[in-house]
Amino acid sequence: MIPDGPRIAPADAAAITDAAALLRSGQLVAFPTETVYGLGADAGSEAAVAAIFEAKGRPRFNPLIVHVPDIEAAARLIQVDERARALAERFWPGPLTLVLPRRADSRLSLLVSAGLDTVAVRAPDHPVARALLEACGLPVAAPSANASGRISPTTAADVAMDLGDRVAMVLDGGPCRVGIESTVLDLSGPRPALLRPGGVPEEALIPLVGPLAASGADGGPVRSPGMLRRHYAPARPLRLNALSAQPGEALLGFGPGFEGAALTLSPTGDLIEAAANLFAMLRALDRAPGYRALAIAPIPARGLGCAINDRLRRAATPETEDDDWNDRGPAAPCVLPSIEEEPES
Ligand code: TXA
Ligand code: MG
């Protein structure tokens, strides 16, 4: 155990019971999901949800995903329609988040959706996450358990390194299987809109809901502020589509031909393996001694490759002034949240 760090507990039955009690008393617990580790809090408690923003050091409020065991639990929080039922039937539990109008009687925190009249909900497919949801009996708000602007954590050690004692407990369920966050699909508008590519590929959604509108395509505000550039940034500069390393660069390979790379997302070119390795390897290369920058091999733009490329593009975009979601500045004050209208890249 790290002195002054959080309690990292192997996720056995006793630890899950303790974690559930912590959640019910308004504290923060980090837990594994199949995508990435989540920083969980009681989604019905404004104070607990505010503590999430505080712990992450988010400069502004960003709506969070509410985790539930199943579609029945979701239907108590949001207005579930036919499409949502069909999607949940097919993909839940799993890495698909649905954004739908909040129910007036949901008793969810307002902060959890950052003042929006919609709520993002998903049922995670990880035995520890599911056991925790059952044990606490609460909808659990959980963003990825990284400090704001940092890479999403896929191990308990990543969480402890980022959040230290700002989290009461970290349930250790080993490395995350999917390794990339959930797909976020907005079903609140006239046409379903893909707000964030993720663990369920876009192609898999279309047969169930028809063609997807691009986020903000209707000229409206960006509906998923978590999609802003550099949301997933390593500290070192990142060069994309690299076939070899330049001096000072750590090369992250993909597929055959990258045997000399510092690390390889998947030696055989398997996109699922690559997604699962992505954040952990970016973190490892970001802190490996002797390098100034990262370079990454081309990733094919199909299936999970789209989500991987999306994360990489954000990570590679130099910081700009109109892009401060990843401020390392002081935590957001607990005032009524507002969503800023910012252009999406
Ligand atoms: O895989 C995941 O989704 C992980 C695990 C822990 O479940 N969670 C996660 O949460 O990635 P977070 O907070 O890092 O990302 C939530 C995303 C953001 O892009 C946010 O803007 C979007 O969902 N979102 C949440 N509520 C929304 C809403 N009401 N309308 C539009 N976008 C929303
Ligand atoms: Mg995140």
PDB file of all heavy atoms in Angstrom, residues 33 35-38 56 58 62-65 67 97 99 112-113 116 118-120 122 142-144 180-182 184 195-196 223-227 231, ligand 1:
ATOM      1  N   THR A  33     -14.392  -1.304 -14.751  1.00  0.00           N
ATOM      2  CA  THR A  33     -15.454  -1.697 -15.678  1.00  0.00           C
ATOM      3  C   THR A  33     -14.736  -2.387 -16.834  1.00  0.00           C
ATOM      4  O   THR A  33     -13.507  -2.432 -16.867  1.00  0.00           O
ATOM      5  CB  THR A  33     -16.287  -0.515 -16.215  1.00  0.00           C
ATOM      6  OG1 THR A  33     -15.571   0.131 -17.255  1.00  0.00           O
ATOM      7  CG2 THR A  33     -16.643   0.482 -15.120  1.00  0.00           C
ATOM      8  N   THR A  35     -14.462  -1.280 -19.710  1.00  0.00           N
ATOM      9  CA  THR A  35     -13.825  -0.276 -20.573  1.00  0.00           C
ATOM     10  C   THR A  35     -12.591   0.312 -19.894  1.00  0.00           C
ATOM     11  O   THR A  35     -11.463   0.044 -20.313  1.00  0.00           O
ATOM     12  CB  THR A  35     -14.816   0.843 -20.925  1.00  0.00           C
ATOM     13  OG1 THR A  35     -15.289   1.448 -19.713  1.00  0.00           O
ATOM     14  CG2 THR A  35     -15.982   0.307 -21.743  1.00  0.00           C
ATOM     15  N   VAL A  36     -12.813   1.129 -18.871  1.00  0.00           N
ATOM     16  CA  VAL A  36     -11.731   1.747 -18.098  1.00  0.00           C
ATOM     17  C   VAL A  36     -12.197   1.774 -16.636  1.00  0.00           C
ATOM     18  O   VAL A  36     -13.347   1.456 -16.349  1.00  0.00           O
ATOM     19  CB  VAL A  36     -11.443   3.199 -18.582  1.00  0.00           C
ATOM     20  CG1 VAL A  36     -10.992   3.214 -20.047  1.00  0.00           C
ATOM     21  CG2 VAL A  36     -12.651   4.120 -18.386  1.00  0.00           C
ATOM     22  N   TYR A  37     -11.302   2.144 -15.718  1.00  0.00           N
ATOM     23  CA  TYR A  37     -11.726   2.294 -14.318  1.00  0.00           C
ATOM     24  C   TYR A  37     -12.600   3.542 -14.190  1.00  0.00           C
ATOM     25  O   TYR A  37     -12.331   4.572 -14.822  1.00  0.00           O
ATOM     26  CB  TYR A  37     -10.513   2.395 -13.385  1.00  0.00           C
ATOM     27  CG  TYR A  37     -10.002   1.037 -12.952  1.00  0.00           C
ATOM     28  CD1 TYR A  37      -9.354   0.206 -13.867  1.00  0.00           C
ATOM     29  CD2 TYR A  37     -10.204   0.561 -11.655  1.00  0.00           C
ATOM     30  CE1 TYR A  37      -8.916  -1.061 -13.486  1.00  0.00           C
ATOM     31  CE2 TYR A  37      -9.769  -0.699 -11.266  1.00  0.00           C
ATOM     32  CZ  TYR A  37      -9.129  -1.508 -12.193  1.00  0.00           C
ATOM     33  OH  TYR A  37      -8.703  -2.759 -11.815  1.00  0.00           O
ATOM     34  N   GLY A  38     -13.643   3.441 -13.371  1.00  0.00           N
ATOM     35  CA  GLY A  38     -14.525   4.568 -13.128  1.00  0.00           C
ATOM     36  C   GLY A  38     -14.312   5.123 -11.727  1.00  0.00           C
ATOM     37  O   GLY A  38     -13.926   4.397 -10.814  1.00  0.00           O
ATOM     38  N   LYS A  56     -11.214  14.963  -9.595  1.00  0.00           N
ATOM     39  CA  LYS A  56     -10.605  14.927 -10.922  1.00  0.00           C
ATOM     40  C   LYS A  56      -9.924  16.244 -11.283  1.00  0.00           C
ATOM     41  O   LYS A  56      -9.161  16.311 -12.235  1.00  0.00           O
ATOM     42  CB  LYS A  56     -11.659  14.605 -11.993  1.00  0.00           C
ATOM     43  CG  LYS A  56     -12.068  13.147 -12.012  1.00  0.00           C
ATOM     44  CD  LYS A  56     -13.027  12.856 -13.137  1.00  0.00           C
ATOM     45  CE  LYS A  56     -12.456  13.028 -14.517  1.00  0.00           C
ATOM     46  NZ  LYS A  56     -11.925  11.810 -15.138  1.00  0.00           N
ATOM     47  N   ARG A  58     -11.487  18.801 -12.483  1.00  0.00           N
ATOM     48  CA  ARG A  58     -12.052  19.283 -13.751  1.00  0.00           C
ATOM     49  C   ARG A  58     -12.310  20.772 -13.656  1.00  0.00           C
ATOM     50  O   ARG A  58     -12.920  21.238 -12.708  1.00  0.00           O
ATOM     51  CB  ARG A  58     -13.375  18.559 -14.048  1.00  0.00           C
ATOM     52  CG  ARG A  58     -13.135  17.296 -14.811  1.00  0.00           C
ATOM     53  CD  ARG A  58     -14.408  16.750 -15.399  1.00  0.00           C
ATOM     54  NE  ARG A  58     -14.080  15.525 -16.146  1.00  0.00           N
ATOM     55  CZ  ARG A  58     -14.979  14.656 -16.556  1.00  0.00           C
ATOM     56  NH1 ARG A  58     -16.248  14.850 -16.306  1.00  0.00           N
ATOM     57  NH2 ARG A  58     -14.609  13.600 -17.211  1.00  0.00           N
ATOM     58  N   ASN A  62     -18.762  18.659 -16.473  1.00  0.00           N
ATOM     59  CA  ASN A  62     -18.899  17.894 -17.692  1.00  0.00           C
ATOM     60  C   ASN A  62     -19.883  16.797 -17.288  1.00  0.00           C
ATOM     61  O   ASN A  62     -19.728  16.231 -16.218  1.00  0.00           O
ATOM     62  CB  ASN A  62     -17.498  17.326 -17.969  1.00  0.00           C
ATOM     63  CG  ASN A  62     -17.375  16.691 -19.306  1.00  0.00           C
ATOM     64  OD1 ASN A  62     -18.284  16.737 -20.115  1.00  0.00           O
ATOM     65  ND2 ASN A  62     -16.236  16.071 -19.535  1.00  0.00           N
ATOM     66  N   PRO A  63     -20.913  16.546 -18.078  1.00  0.00           N
ATOM     67  CA  PRO A  63     -21.891  15.553 -17.619  1.00  0.00           C
ATOM     68  C   PRO A  63     -21.275  14.162 -17.496  1.00  0.00           C
ATOM     69  O   PRO A  63     -20.398  13.802 -18.273  1.00  0.00           O
ATOM     70  CB  PRO A  63     -22.957  15.593 -18.709  1.00  0.00           C
ATOM     71  CG  PRO A  63     -22.285  16.161 -19.907  1.00  0.00           C
ATOM     72  CD  PRO A  63     -21.207  17.073 -19.411  1.00  0.00           C
ATOM     73  N   LEU A  64     -21.721  13.427 -16.508  1.00  0.00           N
ATOM     74  CA  LEU A  64     -21.133  12.120 -16.198  1.00  0.00           C
ATOM     75  C   LEU A  64     -22.070  10.992 -16.619  1.00  0.00           C
ATOM     76  O   LEU A  64     -23.271  11.185 -16.770  1.00  0.00           O
ATOM     77  CB  LEU A  64     -20.882  11.997 -14.697  1.00  0.00           C
ATOM     78  CG  LEU A  64     -20.072  13.116 -14.064  1.00  0.00           C
ATOM     79  CD1 LEU A  64     -19.955  12.879 -12.558  1.00  0.00           C
ATOM     80  CD2 LEU A  64     -18.708  13.214 -14.708  1.00  0.00           C
ATOM     81  N   ILE A  65     -21.501   9.807 -16.749  1.00  0.00           N
ATOM     82  CA  ILE A  65     -22.305   8.631 -17.062  1.00  0.00           C
ATOM     83  C   ILE A  65     -22.817   8.015 -15.764  1.00  0.00           C
ATOM     84  O   ILE A  65     -22.064   7.860 -14.798  1.00  0.00           O
ATOM     85  CB  ILE A  65     -21.475   7.609 -17.862  1.00  0.00           C
ATOM     86  CG1 ILE A  65     -21.085   8.228 -19.221  1.00  0.00           C
ATOM     87  CG2 ILE A  65     -22.252   6.306 -18.055  1.00  0.00           C
ATOM     88  CD1 ILE A  65     -20.113   7.391 -20.026  1.00  0.00           C
ATOM     89  N   HIS A  67     -24.201   4.718 -13.975  1.00  0.00           N
ATOM     90  CA  HIS A  67     -24.099   3.276 -14.162  1.00  0.00           C
ATOM     91  C   HIS A  67     -25.221   2.561 -13.438  1.00  0.00           C
ATOM     92  O   HIS A  67     -25.496   2.852 -12.270  1.00  0.00           O
ATOM     93  CB  HIS A  67     -22.731   2.787 -13.678  1.00  0.00           C
ATOM     94  CG  HIS A  67     -21.589   3.338 -14.481  1.00  0.00           C
ATOM     95  ND1 HIS A  67     -21.245   4.668 -14.436  1.00  0.00           N
ATOM     96  CD2 HIS A  67     -20.754   2.759 -15.373  1.00  0.00           C
ATOM     97  CE1 HIS A  67     -20.226   4.877 -15.266  1.00  0.00           C
ATOM     98  NE2 HIS A  67     -19.910   3.730 -15.854  1.00  0.00           N
ATOM     99  N   THR A  97     -23.196   3.673 -24.055  1.00  0.00           N
ATOM    100  CA  THR A  97     -23.879   4.632 -23.188  1.00  0.00           C
ATOM    101  C   THR A  97     -24.988   5.305 -23.979  1.00  0.00           C
ATOM    102  O   THR A  97     -24.768   5.726 -25.113  1.00  0.00           O
ATOM    103  CB  THR A  97     -22.871   5.684 -22.676  1.00  0.00           C
ATOM    104  OG1 THR A  97     -21.945   5.036 -21.814  1.00  0.00           O
ATOM    105  CG2 THR A  97     -23.557   6.809 -21.922  1.00  0.00           C
ATOM    106  N   VAL A  99     -27.861   8.352 -24.156  1.00  0.00           N
ATOM    107  CA  VAL A  99     -28.270   9.657 -23.632  1.00  0.00           C
ATOM    108  C   VAL A  99     -29.747   9.846 -23.955  1.00  0.00           C
ATOM    109  O   VAL A  99     -30.146   9.802 -25.121  1.00  0.00           O
ATOM    110  CB  VAL A  99     -27.426  10.795 -24.252  1.00  0.00           C
ATOM    111  CG1 VAL A  99     -27.943  12.160 -23.819  1.00  0.00           C
ATOM    112  CG2 VAL A  99     -25.953  10.631 -23.889  1.00  0.00           C
ATOM    113  N   VAL A 112     -24.976  15.771 -12.016  1.00  0.00           N
ATOM    114  CA  VAL A 112     -24.517  14.579 -12.723  1.00  0.00           C
ATOM    115  C   VAL A 112     -24.656  14.768 -14.232  1.00  0.00           C
ATOM    116  O   VAL A 112     -23.854  14.257 -14.999  1.00  0.00           O
ATOM    117  CB  VAL A 112     -25.255  13.315 -12.222  1.00  0.00           C
ATOM    118  CG1 VAL A 112     -26.590  13.110 -12.896  1.00  0.00           C
ATOM    119  CG2 VAL A 112     -24.392  12.072 -12.422  1.00  0.00           C
ATOM    120  N   SER A 113     -25.668  15.534 -14.655  1.00  0.00           N
ATOM    121  CA  SER A 113     -25.797  15.791 -16.087  1.00  0.00           C
ATOM    122  C   SER A 113     -25.435  17.236 -16.409  1.00  0.00           C
ATOM    123  O   SER A 113     -25.792  17.748 -17.472  1.00  0.00           O
ATOM    124  CB  SER A 113     -27.203  15.444 -16.572  1.00  0.00           C
ATOM    125  OG  SER A 113     -28.158  16.052 -15.755  1.00  0.00           O
ATOM    126  N   LEU A 116     -27.918  19.630 -17.904  1.00  0.00           N
ATOM    127  CA  LEU A 116     -28.667  19.253 -19.107  1.00  0.00           C
ATOM    128  C   LEU A 116     -29.961  18.542 -18.698  1.00  0.00           C
ATOM    129  O   LEU A 116     -30.068  18.028 -17.592  1.00  0.00           O
ATOM    130  CB  LEU A 116     -27.830  18.303 -19.979  1.00  0.00           C
ATOM    131  CG  LEU A 116     -26.497  18.837 -20.491  1.00  0.00           C
ATOM    132  CD1 LEU A 116     -25.728  17.745 -21.223  1.00  0.00           C
ATOM    133  CD2 LEU A 116     -26.729  20.026 -21.409  1.00  0.00           C
ATOM    134  N   THR A 118     -30.912  15.930 -20.187  1.00  0.00           N
ATOM    135  CA  THR A 118     -30.709  14.531 -20.573  1.00  0.00           C
ATOM    136  C   THR A 118     -29.715  13.899 -19.606  1.00  0.00           C
ATOM    137  O   THR A 118     -28.971  14.602 -18.920  1.00  0.00           O
ATOM    138  CB  THR A 118     -30.126  14.448 -21.989  1.00  0.00           C
ATOM    139  OG1 THR A 118     -28.936  15.228 -22.033  1.00  0.00           O
ATOM    140  CG2 THR A 118     -31.118  14.955 -23.031  1.00  0.00           C
ATOM    141  N   VAL A 119     -29.716  12.572 -19.569  1.00  0.00           N
ATOM    142  CA  VAL A 119     -28.767  11.850 -18.720  1.00  0.00           C
ATOM    143  C   VAL A 119     -28.152  10.709 -19.536  1.00  0.00           C
ATOM    144  O   VAL A 119     -28.848  10.041 -20.311  1.00  0.00           O
ATOM    145  CB  VAL A 119     -29.451  11.266 -17.461  1.00  0.00           C
ATOM    146  CG1 VAL A 119     -28.441  10.526 -16.588  1.00  0.00           C
ATOM    147  CG2 VAL A 119     -30.128  12.369 -16.648  1.00  0.00           C
ATOM    148  N   ALA A 120     -26.871  10.503 -19.359  1.00  0.00           N
ATOM    149  CA  ALA A 120     -26.158   9.392 -20.009  1.00  0.00           C
ATOM    150  C   ALA A 120     -26.140   8.197 -19.061  1.00  0.00           C
ATOM    151  O   ALA A 120     -25.766   8.333 -17.896  1.00  0.00           O
ATOM    152  CB  ALA A 120     -24.730   9.820 -20.334  1.00  0.00           C
ATOM    153  N   ARG A 122     -25.409   3.803 -18.607  1.00  0.00           N
ATOM    154  CA  ARG A 122     -24.978   2.527 -19.180  1.00  0.00           C
ATOM    155  C   ARG A 122     -24.916   1.431 -18.123  1.00  0.00           C
ATOM    156  O   ARG A 122     -24.765   1.712 -16.932  1.00  0.00           O
ATOM    157  CB  ARG A 122     -23.647   2.643 -19.922  1.00  0.00           C
ATOM    158  CG  ARG A 122     -22.390   2.484 -19.095  1.00  0.00           C
ATOM    159  CD  ARG A 122     -21.173   2.493 -20.038  1.00  0.00           C
ATOM    160  NE  ARG A 122     -19.920   2.200 -19.335  1.00  0.00           N
ATOM    161  CZ  ARG A 122     -19.317   1.013 -19.341  1.00  0.00           C
ATOM    162  NH1 ARG A 122     -19.834  -0.019 -19.981  1.00  0.00           N
ATOM    163  NH2 ARG A 122     -18.176   0.826 -18.688  1.00  0.00           N
ATOM    164  N   ALA A 142     -20.086   7.775 -12.671  1.00  0.00           N
ATOM    165  CA  ALA A 142     -18.658   7.464 -12.754  1.00  0.00           C
ATOM    166  C   ALA A 142     -18.051   7.907 -14.072  1.00  0.00           C
ATOM    167  O   ALA A 142     -18.307   7.316 -15.110  1.00  0.00           O
ATOM    168  CB  ALA A 142     -18.413   5.967 -12.557  1.00  0.00           C
ATOM    169  N   PRO A 143     -17.235   8.957 -14.011  1.00  0.00           N
ATOM    170  CA  PRO A 143     -16.381   9.254 -15.158  1.00  0.00           C
ATOM    171  C   PRO A 143     -15.161   8.351 -15.077  1.00  0.00           C
ATOM    172  O   PRO A 143     -14.985   7.622 -14.095  1.00  0.00           O
ATOM    173  CB  PRO A 143     -15.979  10.701 -14.909  1.00  0.00           C
ATOM    174  CG  PRO A 143     -15.939  10.817 -13.428  1.00  0.00           C
ATOM    175  CD  PRO A 143     -17.000   9.872 -12.898  1.00  0.00           C
ATOM    176  N   SER A 144     -14.341   8.373 -16.100  1.00  0.00           N
ATOM    177  CA  SER A 144     -13.088   7.643 -16.025  1.00  0.00           C
ATOM    178  C   SER A 144     -12.277   8.184 -14.836  1.00  0.00           C
ATOM    179  O   SER A 144     -12.293   9.379 -14.558  1.00  0.00           O
ATOM    180  CB  SER A 144     -12.317   7.789 -17.334  1.00  0.00           C
ATOM    181  OG  SER A 144     -12.251   9.147 -17.714  1.00  0.00           O
ATOM    182  N   ILE A 180     -10.939   0.930 -23.785  1.00  0.00           N
ATOM    183  CA  ILE A 180     -11.300   2.217 -24.371  1.00  0.00           C
ATOM    184  C   ILE A 180     -12.723   2.488 -23.886  1.00  0.00           C
ATOM    185  O   ILE A 180     -13.476   1.540 -23.643  1.00  0.00           O
ATOM    186  CB  ILE A 180     -11.182   2.125 -25.902  1.00  0.00           C
ATOM    187  CG1 ILE A 180     -11.039   3.494 -26.524  1.00  0.00           C
ATOM    188  CG2 ILE A 180     -12.343   1.384 -26.527  1.00  0.00           C
ATOM    189  CD1 ILE A 180     -10.461   3.402 -27.919  1.00  0.00           C
ATOM    190  N   GLU A 181     -13.080   3.758 -23.710  1.00  0.00           N
ATOM    191  CA  GLU A 181     -14.367   4.054 -23.090  1.00  0.00           C
ATOM    192  C   GLU A 181     -15.546   3.614 -23.951  1.00  0.00           C
ATOM    193  O   GLU A 181     -15.401   3.306 -25.132  1.00  0.00           O
ATOM    194  CB  GLU A 181     -14.509   5.560 -22.816  1.00  0.00           C
ATOM    195  CG  GLU A 181     -13.524   6.099 -21.821  1.00  0.00           C
ATOM    196  CD  GLU A 181     -12.324   6.679 -22.503  1.00  0.00           C
ATOM    197  OE1 GLU A 181     -11.979   6.232 -23.613  1.00  0.00           O
ATOM    198  OE2 GLU A 181     -11.727   7.590 -21.913  1.00  0.00           O
ATOM    199  N   SER A 182     -16.717   3.705 -23.324  1.00  0.00           N
ATOM    200  CA  SER A 182     -17.940   3.297 -24.014  1.00  0.00           C
ATOM    201  C   SER A 182     -18.269   4.245 -25.165  1.00  0.00           C
ATOM    202  O   SER A 182     -17.896   5.420 -25.155  1.00  0.00           O
ATOM    203  CB  SER A 182     -19.102   3.266 -23.022  1.00  0.00           C
ATOM    204  OG  SER A 182     -19.323   4.550 -22.475  1.00  0.00           O
ATOM    205  N   VAL A 184     -20.788   6.633 -26.883  1.00  0.00           N
ATOM    206  CA  VAL A 184     -21.887   7.443 -26.347  1.00  0.00           C
ATOM    207  C   VAL A 184     -22.835   7.803 -27.494  1.00  0.00           C
ATOM    208  O   VAL A 184     -22.444   8.459 -28.463  1.00  0.00           O
ATOM    209  CB  VAL A 184     -21.380   8.726 -25.651  1.00  0.00           C
ATOM    210  CG1 VAL A 184     -22.553   9.543 -25.115  1.00  0.00           C
ATOM    211  CG2 VAL A 184     -20.419   8.388 -24.518  1.00  0.00           C
ATOM    212  N   LEU A 195     -21.980  10.638 -30.104  1.00  0.00           N
ATOM    213  CA  LEU A 195     -21.260  11.704 -29.411  1.00  0.00           C
ATOM    214  C   LEU A 195     -19.814  11.320 -29.122  1.00  0.00           C
ATOM    215  O   LEU A 195     -18.959  12.172 -28.999  1.00  0.00           O
ATOM    216  CB  LEU A 195     -21.959  12.059 -28.092  1.00  0.00           C
ATOM    217  CG  LEU A 195     -23.401  12.537 -28.211  1.00  0.00           C
ATOM    218  CD1 LEU A 195     -23.932  12.961 -26.851  1.00  0.00           C
ATOM    219  CD2 LEU A 195     -23.518  13.687 -29.195  1.00  0.00           C
ATOM    220  N   ARG A 196     -19.575  10.035 -28.990  1.00  0.00           N
ATOM    221  CA  ARG A 196     -18.202   9.579 -28.752  1.00  0.00           C
ATOM    222  C   ARG A 196     -18.058   8.169 -29.298  1.00  0.00           C
ATOM    223  O   ARG A 196     -18.798   7.282 -28.880  1.00  0.00           O
ATOM    224  CB  ARG A 196     -17.890   9.578 -27.249  1.00  0.00           C
ATOM    225  CG  ARG A 196     -16.479   9.083 -26.923  1.00  0.00           C
ATOM    226  CD  ARG A 196     -16.145   9.186 -25.445  1.00  0.00           C
ATOM    227  NE  ARG A 196     -16.800   8.154 -24.660  1.00  0.00           N
ATOM    228  CZ  ARG A 196     -16.714   8.032 -23.344  1.00  0.00           C
ATOM    229  NH1 ARG A 196     -16.002   8.909 -22.650  1.00  0.00           N
ATOM    230  NH2 ARG A 196     -17.328   7.061 -22.708  1.00  0.00           N
ATOM    231  N   ARG A 223     -22.771  18.666 -28.016  1.00  0.00           N
ATOM    232  CA  ARG A 223     -23.548  18.042 -26.952  1.00  0.00           C
ATOM    233  C   ARG A 223     -22.719  17.151 -26.037  1.00  0.00           C
ATOM    234  O   ARG A 223     -23.207  16.674 -25.042  1.00  0.00           O
ATOM    235  CB  ARG A 223     -24.710  17.269 -27.570  1.00  0.00           C
ATOM    236  CG  ARG A 223     -25.812  18.225 -28.003  1.00  0.00           C
ATOM    237  CD  ARG A 223     -27.045  17.502 -28.422  1.00  0.00           C
ATOM    238  NE  ARG A 223     -26.876  16.878 -29.719  1.00  0.00           N
ATOM    239  CZ  ARG A 223     -27.826  16.161 -30.304  1.00  0.00           C
ATOM    240  NH1 ARG A 223     -28.966  15.976 -29.707  1.00  0.00           N
ATOM    241  NH2 ARG A 223     -27.633  15.626 -31.491  1.00  0.00           N
ATOM    242  N   SER A 224     -21.510  16.918 -26.407  1.00  0.00           N
ATOM    243  CA  SER A 224     -20.685  16.078 -25.551  1.00  0.00           C
ATOM    244  C   SER A 224     -19.345  16.750 -25.305  1.00  0.00           C
ATOM    245  O   SER A 224     -18.386  16.545 -26.031  1.00  0.00           O
ATOM    246  CB  SER A 224     -20.473  14.721 -26.208  1.00  0.00           C
ATOM    247  OG  SER A 224     -19.949  13.814 -25.274  1.00  0.00           O
ATOM    248  N   PRO A 225     -19.301  17.593 -24.288  1.00  0.00           N
ATOM    249  CA  PRO A 225     -18.090  18.372 -24.069  1.00  0.00           C
ATOM    250  C   PRO A 225     -16.868  17.504 -23.787  1.00  0.00           C
ATOM    251  O   PRO A 225     -15.745  17.936 -24.005  1.00  0.00           O
ATOM    252  CB  PRO A 225     -18.421  19.231 -22.853  1.00  0.00           C
ATOM    253  CG  PRO A 225     -19.624  18.614 -22.240  1.00  0.00           C
ATOM    254  CD  PRO A 225     -20.345  17.891 -23.312  1.00  0.00           C
ATOM    255  N   GLY A 226     -17.103  16.257 -23.370  1.00  0.00           N
ATOM    256  CA  GLY A 226     -15.976  15.363 -23.138  1.00  0.00           C
ATOM    257  C   GLY A 226     -15.233  15.039 -24.421  1.00  0.00           C
ATOM    258  O   GLY A 226     -14.162  14.439 -24.405  1.00  0.00           O
ATOM    259  N   MET A 227     -15.827  15.430 -25.555  1.00  0.00           N
ATOM    260  CA  MET A 227     -15.206  15.141 -26.844  1.00  0.00           C
ATOM    261  C   MET A 227     -14.201  16.206 -27.268  1.00  0.00           C
ATOM    262  O   MET A 227     -13.658  16.136 -28.349  1.00  0.00           O
ATOM    263  CB  MET A 227     -16.276  15.040 -27.931  1.00  0.00           C
ATOM    264  CG  MET A 227     -17.175  13.846 -27.792  1.00  0.00           C
ATOM    265  SD  MET A 227     -16.237  12.344 -27.888  1.00  0.00           S
ATOM    266  CE  MET A 227     -15.643  12.452 -29.570  1.00  0.00           C
ATOM    267  N   HIS A 231      -8.522  15.698 -24.758  1.00  0.00           N
ATOM    268  CA  HIS A 231      -9.110  15.164 -23.541  1.00  0.00           C
ATOM    269  C   HIS A 231      -8.300  13.969 -23.042  1.00  0.00           C
ATOM    270  O   HIS A 231      -8.423  13.549 -21.917  1.00  0.00           O
ATOM    271  CB  HIS A 231     -10.554  14.757 -23.822  1.00  0.00           C
ATOM    272  CG  HIS A 231     -11.353  14.598 -22.584  1.00  0.00           C
ATOM    273  ND1 HIS A 231     -11.587  15.627 -21.720  1.00  0.00           N
ATOM    274  CD2 HIS A 231     -11.962  13.518 -22.052  1.00  0.00           C
ATOM    275  CE1 HIS A 231     -12.316  15.187 -20.706  1.00  0.00           C
ATOM    276  NE2 HIS A 231     -12.557  13.910 -20.885  1.00  0.00           N
TER     277      HIS A 231
HETATM  278  O1  TXA B   1     -16.488   3.633 -20.561  1.00  0.00           O
HETATM  279  C1  TXA B   1     -16.948   4.641 -20.029  1.00  0.00           C
HETATM  280  O2  TXA B   1     -17.885   5.275 -20.520  1.00  0.00           O
HETATM  281  C2  TXA B   1     -16.307   5.095 -18.702  1.00  0.00           C
HETATM  282  C3  TXA B   1     -16.595   4.017 -17.658  1.00  0.00           C
HETATM  283  C4  TXA B   1     -16.087   4.401 -16.290  1.00  0.00           C
HETATM  284  O3  TXA B   1     -17.969   3.722 -17.629  1.00  0.00           O
HETATM  285  N1  TXA B   1     -16.808   6.374 -18.301  1.00  0.00           N
HETATM  286  C5  TXA B   1     -16.485   7.523 -18.948  1.00  0.00           C
HETATM  287  O4  TXA B   1     -17.045   8.654 -18.395  1.00  0.00           O
HETATM  288  O5  TXA B   1     -15.775   7.563 -19.925  1.00  0.00           O
HETATM  289  P1  TXA B   1     -16.560  10.151 -18.750  1.00  0.00           P
HETATM  290  O6  TXA B   1     -17.228  11.040 -17.760  1.00  0.00           O
HETATM  291  O7  TXA B   1     -15.073  10.202 -18.767  1.00  0.00           O
HETATM  292  O8  TXA B   1     -17.183  10.402 -20.156  1.00  0.00           O
HETATM  293  C6  TXA B   1     -18.577  10.654 -20.276  1.00  0.00           C
HETATM  294  C7  TXA B   1     -18.889  11.113 -21.675  1.00  0.00           C
HETATM  295  C8  TXA B   1     -18.368  12.494 -21.936  1.00  0.00           C
HETATM  296  O9  TXA B   1     -17.942  12.590 -23.286  1.00  0.00           O
HETATM  297  C9  TXA B   1     -19.602  13.349 -21.662  1.00  0.00           C
HETATM  298  O10 TXA B   1     -19.539  14.601 -22.272  1.00  0.00           O
HETATM  299  C10 TXA B   1     -20.698  12.455 -22.224  1.00  0.00           C
HETATM  300  O11 TXA B   1     -20.303  11.145 -21.851  1.00  0.00           O
HETATM  301  N2  TXA B   1     -21.997  12.723 -21.612  1.00  0.00           N
HETATM  302  C11 TXA B   1     -22.403  12.410 -20.373  1.00  0.00           C
HETATM  303  N3  TXA B   1     -23.652  12.843 -20.149  1.00  0.00           N
HETATM  304  C12 TXA B   1     -24.066  13.426 -21.272  1.00  0.00           C
HETATM  305  C13 TXA B   1     -25.278  14.063 -21.670  1.00  0.00           C
HETATM  306  N4  TXA B   1     -26.322  14.181 -20.858  1.00  0.00           N
HETATM  307  N5  TXA B   1     -25.342  14.566 -22.911  1.00  0.00           N
HETATM  308  C14 TXA B   1     -24.277  14.450 -23.741  1.00  0.00           C
HETATM  309  N6  TXA B   1     -23.112  13.860 -23.432  1.00  0.00           N
HETATM  310  C15 TXA B   1     -23.004  13.358 -22.216  1.00  0.00           C
END
